[in-house]
Amino acid sequence: MTRGATPVRVAVLVSGGGTNLQALLAALRESPLARVTRVISNRPEAGALGRARRSGVPATALRDPDDAAELLAALGDAQLVVLAGYLKLVPAAVVSRFRGRMINIHPALLPDFGGPGMYGQRVHRAVLASGATESGATVHLVDEEFDRGEIIGQEKVPVIPTDTPESLAARVLEAEHRLLPRMVLELARRIR
Ligand code: GRF
């Protein structure tokens, strides 16, 4: 078998409903480059786990998301790790094992509007309160801190004067669903 023939094995970490996971599953379904091979959550009730199971992808919930050994075991033979709405800090031992091969999507234009506690509606409220005229989605490499790793891709969207946190979140989420699959395929090309 020639090197690189098999798709890159992608593990996705989730905490929420999983619309980014759904976008990734759809984008990679026929891809020779990358394939979602497992989904892992810190919350057994996360809607994203149901999306994975309906797509025939193995899905597990962690007993202790701070336990590096448990997470490494759950990641198994994954070659690329994607945080898609995962709200826990990844243990340092796991970050170092996947340095340069673990990415996160954030619903704002980092380095602004990121960091501990900056997730969901809080992000969009902060963007609106700042008077910013644009927002967007960011994909970055994961390191030992929330939302601080090297930025590898962004997609900007306008902030409209009549925006609410909900309407801005919806516009940013559409950009996320375009940006994340694109960045996963780009990283898979680099890894192969
Ligand atoms: C997304 O906005 C993502 O950027 C953020 O959490 C949200 C998750 O949404 N980190 P979903 O679970 O993928 O629908």
Side-chain angles (χ1 to χ4, degrees):
M1 171 131 67
T2 52
R3 188 174 130 67
T6 54
V8 169
R9 294 181 298 277
V10 179
V12 183
L13 300 184
V14 296
S15 298
T19 67
N20 275 293
L21 169 66
Q22 198 69 54
L24 205 48
L25 287 167
L28 301 188
R29 188 163 289 121
E30 310 295 331
S31 169
L33 260 177
R35 189 70 42 81
V36 177
T37 54
R38 57 189 73 210
V39 174
I40 300 160
S41 182
N42 62 309
R43 299 177 54 244
E45 69 281 12
L49 293 178
R51 291 178 189 270
R53 292 181 181 123
R54 287 191 292 278
S55 297
V57 177
T60 51
L62 299 167
R63 274 188 315 280
D64 176 4
D66 300 324
D67 179 344
E70 183 188 358
L71 182 49
L72 283 171
L75 288 167
D77 65 358
Q79 296 163 290
L80 175 55
V81 180
V82 175
L83 279 56
Y86 188 65
L87 301 180
K88 296 290 292 180
L89 195 64
V90 176
V94 181
V95 171
S96 55
R97 175 77 63 84
F98 286 92
R99 185 120 17 226
R101 297 181 295 127
M102 185 184 287
I103 58 176
N104 177 51
I105 183 137
H106 184 77
L109 297 176
L110 296 174
D112 301 328
F113 311 111
M118 287 302 278
Y119 57 86
Q121 293 298 330
R122 288 182 204 168
V123 174
H124 306 293
R125 273 199 293 274
V127 171
L128 292 175
S130 76
T133 57
E134 63 180 9
S135 186
T138 300
V139 171
H140 63 92
L141 295 177
V142 172
D143 68 9
E144 288 76 5
E145 305 284 340
F146 281 114
D147 305 328
R148 197 194 58 181
E150 178 194 341
I151 294 170
I152 63 168
Q154 288 188 315
E155 183 172 323
K156 294 181 177 171
V157 302
V159 176
I160 297 168
T162 54
D163 262 329
T164 62
E166 292 73 21
S167 63
L168 179 56
R171 192 172 314 113
V172 170
L173 199 57
E174 286 172 7
E176 293 179 54
H177 295 167
R178 292 188 292 267
L179 178 66
L180 186 59
R182 207 166 66 232
M183 289 296 110
V184 168
L185 288 167
E186 192 172 305
L187 213 59
R189 268 188 214 96
R190 287 192 217 162
I191 289 174
R192 281 184 104 197

